[in-house]
Structures are given as C-alpha cells and as structure tokens.
Amino acid sequence: DAKTTQPPSMDCAEGRAANLPCNHSTISGNEYVYWYRQIHSQGPQYIIHGLKNNETNEMASLIITEDRKSSTLILPHATLRDTAVYYCIVRVGPMDTGRRALTFGSGTRLQVQP
Amino acid sequence: DAGVIQSPRHEVTEMGQEVTLRCKPISGHDYLFWYRQTMMRGLELLIYFNNNVPIDDSGMPEDRFSAKMPNASFSTLKIQPSEPRDSAVYFCASSPGIVLASTDTQYFGPGTRLTVL
C-alpha cells in the first residue's frame, strides 16, 4: 500500500471549513484513498473514500487531485465534536488483494476551537 | 444494530497473569480484525479472520498472544503470560464480506484498555 504524509496537527475555528491535506505521491492506479477518524478514547470511524473522482457524503467531502498524488478531506462546518485524529489511508480495493487490514499512519490531530 | 461489542472495557492485571479480551462483531460481517494501539507504535494490526479462519497473523507480537474465532459471532484475544509492555488499547473491528469493488469499510468497537502492572 502507498505511503501517506499528513501534517501532525491543525486547528480550525468552529463553524468554519476544515481542510485536511494528505500527500500520497506513490499511489498506484488501483489504489483508493480512505479517510478514518478517531475521537479521543473511541475506536476509529470511517468517513469517506474515493478512487479518482471527488466524493461527498453526509460527513465530509473528498477532493482528489487529477494526478491523484494528493487529496484533501473537507469538513464543511466543523464543530467541537469533530476534534479528532484524522487518518488518510491509501490501499488497493478488496477485490484486488486478499489483504483486508488497514495500515494506519500517524494522522492529523485536528483541534476545533470554539 | 449494536455495533461491534468488546469486553471488558478496562482490564488491570499483574504481570504473568492470563488476559482474555472478547469481541462480538456486527452480525453478518465476514471479517474480524484485532488491532492494538499504543503511543509509541500507533494503531497496528495483530490478526484478522475471514469466515472464522485466521488469514493474517503476522502482526501477533509473539507466542504469548493467541486469537480464536470459534463462531461467526465471537472472538477472543488471549495474552499468556501478560507483561507490562502489553499495556495498550486493543480494538476489534468487523467488515462485511460482500463488498462492492470500491468499498472496504471497517467498523471498530470501543476498545479494551489493558494495563499490566
């Protein structure tokens, strides 16, 4: 699975958009970008994933650059409850490999300020 | 659905004692994962099962660790004998077996915080 690089920490004002970058310059054509987050003392939680196109769900938007070497997770209106560690994970889809486990890096610690 | 259930939520034991962590995956999920999280090493995979069969145990640190999945609704992670360096939060996660080509979501339990004195 491709390696990812994320800033160790970020701050965001409550109500503003939080833009969390992820660099994955060695990503392969069959690898997806997944985002999970971990709120303090809880298990990781799936947020969103994408392959090439931008994606949006009820939690966030995922913007993937055209060359797929980087992506940005956008929380459109951050709240205090969004304070968490956000993990960007790049890996092949489940149909391409038997390996199903996730490899977590250090992530970005997002602190939403009131 | 109650989600992934883990027990106990907290465990404090003394070095040398046997520790058993338990997990109930989401009903209908075919994959079950055990992860461990420490400050030093972050979140790391220990082992995972598919349809109750261990698929990848390369993350199990040593023979003191063992995991079983006797049926689709229950798994255990056992440490015998336990050591202080085993202190960590242990997460269980499950994932559906029938997936779309682009979907591979894992659902995590609340974790068990283990402290070995």
Side-chain angles (χ1 to χ4, degrees), chain B residues 7-8 11 18-22 74-79 112:
Chain B
S7 64
E11 176 80 27
E18 177 179 296
V19 175
T20 300
L21 311 181
R22 298 172 175 79
F74 183 65
S75 176
T76 60
L77 178 67
K78 184 176 294 186
I79 308 173
T112 295

Side-chain angles (χ1 to χ4, degrees), chain A residues 35 46-49 54-62 73-76, chain B residues 105:
Chain A
W35 284 84
Y46 166 81
I47 302 173
I48 198 167
H49 73 277
N54 298 337
E55 304 287 345
T56 296
N57 63 19
E58 65 279 4
M59 291 183 67
S61 294
L62 174 60
L73 178 74
I74 300 173
L75 308 178
Chain B
T105 301

